[in-house]
Amino acid sequence: MAGRKIRNMEEFAELSGISRPTVSKYFRDPESVRKSSRMRIEAALEEYDYRPNIFAINQNRKLTKTVGILVPYLADPFFAEIVRMIEWRCIDAGFWPIVFSAHGRQDLENNALATLQSLKPAGALLAPLGRHSDLESVRRFAEEVPTIVFDSNVNVGEAFVGSDNFQSIGLIVDYLCRTGEAPCFFEMQPVNPNANKRREAYTRSMERLGYEPMVVQVEGAGWEFERIGKEGGIRLISEKALPSDTILCSNDRLAIGLIAAAYETGRRVGHGPGCALRIAGHDDHPWARFTCPPLTTVSQDYEAIAEKSADLLFQLIDKGAPPPRREEILCEGKLVLRVSA
């Protein structure tokens, strides 16, 4: 009978000789059943190679062990790394993470939220698109599902966890001003609140240090940051339109594109004799150390953001009630010095 295909939990319970309620209880929490029953169930699982339909189980429970994770663009290595850490945090805490990507589109973000809500998750960790989100849809979701927001601070959910952009941008602007020409700020059309905060932080930092802010915005929208940075950089360099030889990019992916533009236009990037441009970024993107030259940047604390976001959600689930007020937890960045600046 070991080769027989088991269609549902009722058949498995019959073959294992354990009652259906006990089998169901085991799949919710193995430690909640007697050791002797647990051993019989696990022996039957090995013999018949049966795996329950977790989604069907969840539909019949008031509270599941599922945690939804939604990010704007999973192909971005920044979000991939954050999600990897959050997934392990959930698994270690006994939850089952399900990941969705909005692919930069509002309709796909809305579809992901609707799908996730239909699974009756215990909670959700959302990094919304931001300015391109249907905020009313995100808000309705967060009113029904315990929600922690990370990376993109839109005013929904019980808490936000992200980077302190004013601290991190201030750190790198101060360094660039101390070690060479004051930087201009290289950006594209903002896709989320972080971009706006970083521009504002740059402006404040330059004014605090007695410099005139120099903001350069290149054409382009969406999530192809490297292409936009390269194409805009080639145009600006060719037209000699950059107001400074030191460029602080709004994020590392734009900086990677700008380094490529400098290479194509014959400009050497770095800090020292023979170098035409200094280029710096923000995030400490997983590829930043492998650019040519390696990119000077200011890091986001990936681990702290992932851990604090997940831990806040677990606390919220355990308490079963929202906190008296929405929390905002900001993690400081660290200056990462490499050859590019």
Side-chain angles (χ1 to χ4, degrees), residues 149-255:
V149 175
F150 68 97
D151 182 66
S152 183
N153 191 4
V154 299
N155 191 24
V156 300
E158 278 70 41
F160 167 75
V161 180
S163 290
D164 186 342
N165 288 297
F166 288 91
Q167 178 268 340
S168 57
I169 289 291
L171 195 64
I172 199 163
V173 168
D174 181 71
Y175 163 75
L176 293 172
C177 289
R178 282 189 291 106
T179 56
E181 190 173 354
C184 61
F185 189 74
F186 184 84
E187 68 168 8
M188 54 179 274
Q189 182 178 331
V191 297
N192 65 24
N194 285 320
N196 292 320
K197 286 191 172 82
R198 290 174 190 176
R199 185 198 320 110
E200 184 181 352
Y202 161 80
T203 299
R204 287 190 193 179
S205 298
M206 290 285 283
E207 291 173 345
R208 173 176 53 83
L209 294 170
Y211 295 100
E212 185 72 24
M214 301 169 281
V215 176
V216 178
Q217 187 175 101
V218 294
E219 294 181 0
W223 289 83
E224 295 183 83
F225 298 139
E226 293 87 356
R227 178 186 61 79
I228 293 168
K230 180 182 177 181
E231 292 176 356
I234 287 174
R235 181 182 61 78
L236 290 168
I237 293 170
S238 300
E239 295 174 359
K240 296 182 172 56
L242 285 168
S244 171
D245 291 337
T246 299
I247 305 103
L248 172 60
C249 298
S250 179
N251 61 61
D252 285 353
R253 291 182 61 193
L254 275 176

Side-chain angles (χ1 to χ4, degrees), residues 16-32:
S16 64
I18 301 292
S19 70
R20 170 65 169 77
T22 301
V23 171
S24 179
K25 188 177 181 183
Y26 169 86
F27 285 120
R28 289 197 299 271
D29 180 7
E31 299 298 322
S32 67

